[in-house]
Amino acid sequence: MTDRLPHEKGFHVSWDQMHRDARALAWRLDGKGPDNGAWKAVVGITRGGLVPAMIVARELDIRVVDSISVKSYHSGGGKADQRREAQVIKAPQADVMGDGTGILIVDDLVDSGKTLELIRGLYPKAHFACVYAKPEGEKQADTYITSVSQDTWIFFPWDMALQYVQPFRGAD
Ligand SMILES: O=P(O)(O)OC[C@H]1O[C@H](OP(=O)(O)OP(=O)(O)O)[C@H](O)[C@@H]1O
Ligand SMILES: [Mg+2]
């Protein structure tokens, strides 16, 4: 049972497309850090952000990589339109983070923006980068690659598996 809101459309992202889009994000971020263009560290937002974070760190040769663990949950009584809230359950290394200056905080997507808003409150000077962004949360992302409509659910490769589908015309 998925806790996602009813969405009309699905955007199915393969491993290959995630890799290509995360690489594009890395190249967009290259040379944009505050220290002569360099970035101090990459922090992935668990769990979905760990994949693009690794690709960005590899492409930009950033060797300090940490994570911030965020758990999203619904407040309210089980209705589909409940508000999503988020809480930090594991913080990255404090002496690396500071106020976020020079830190690239990476996620797979921004939807409502709640997750990024929460983390931005902790590290206001960090740079927030996502691979995909929906309109509601777009303003929370400093950099993103692809905009996806609000009524689309993004299916990530780690949430899918290859499987058989019936032929268009069944055997008669
Ligand atoms: O902009 P928001 O409305 O906050 O939604 C975006 C967040 O939701 C998803 O994570 P989720 O909380 O589903 O956990 P996961 O990354 O561990 O799968 C996604 O990976 C983002 O982190
Ligand atoms: Mg996530």
Side-chain angles (χ1 to χ4, degrees):
M1 155 55 176
T2 167
D3 63 355
R4 66 184 176 82
L5 294 172
H7 287 65
E8 286 143 43
K9 306 180 198 105
F11 174 40
H12 298 79
V13 178
S14 67
W15 281 110
D16 177 52
Q17 180 165 3
M18 172 49 81
H19 191 184
R20 280 184 286 116
D21 291 342
R23 267 203 174 125
L25 182 64
W27 300 337
R28 185 84 58 90
L29 294 164
D30 186 34
K32 302 274 193 325
D35 174 14
N36 270 330
W39 297 102
K40 199 170 139 192
V42 172
V43 174
I45 302 174
T46 67
R47 296 157 302 175
L50 295 179
V51 169
M54 174 270 159
I55 294 164
V56 167
R58 185 259 179 197
E59 290 300 310
L60 300 186
D61 195 23
I62 300 169
R63 299 285 172 160
V64 178
V65 182
D66 202 338
S67 69
I68 181 166
S69 299
V70 175
K71 188 173 185 322
S72 308
Y73 59 95
H74 290 291
S75 54
K79 294 186 193 60
D81 60 352
Q82 303 162 348
R83 299 226 17 100
R84 271 167 63 95
E85 298 301 328
Q87 66 177 110
V88 174
I89 56 174
K90 194 282 288 180
Q93 198 173 319
D95 60 356
V96 170
M97 294 303 288
D99 62 3
T101 302
I103 308 291
L104 257 183
I105 298 185
V106 177
D107 211 349
D108 49 2
L109 97 119
V110 58
D111 191 326
S112 70
K114 279 261 172 219
T115 300
L116 294 192
E117 187 181 14
L118 169 71
I119 302 171
R120 191 184 288 276
L122 300 170
Y123 310 106
K125 296 278 179 39
H127 188 100
F128 290 83
C130 295
V131 186
Y132 308 108
K134 296 189 191 177
E136 226 179 275
E138 221 166 47
K139 61 186 178 301
Q140 285 294 338
D142 300 307
T143 305
Y144 66 88
I145 295 299
T146 302
S147 187
V148 175
S149 67
Q150 200 65 45
D151 64 349
T152 299
W153 188 261
I154 301 173
F155 291 91
F156 289 105
W158 48 86
D159 288 330
M160 296 187 288
L162 282 175
Q163 64 179 1
Y164 174 78
V165 285
Q166 289 290 346
F168 180 69
R169 280 201 181 287
D172 35 11

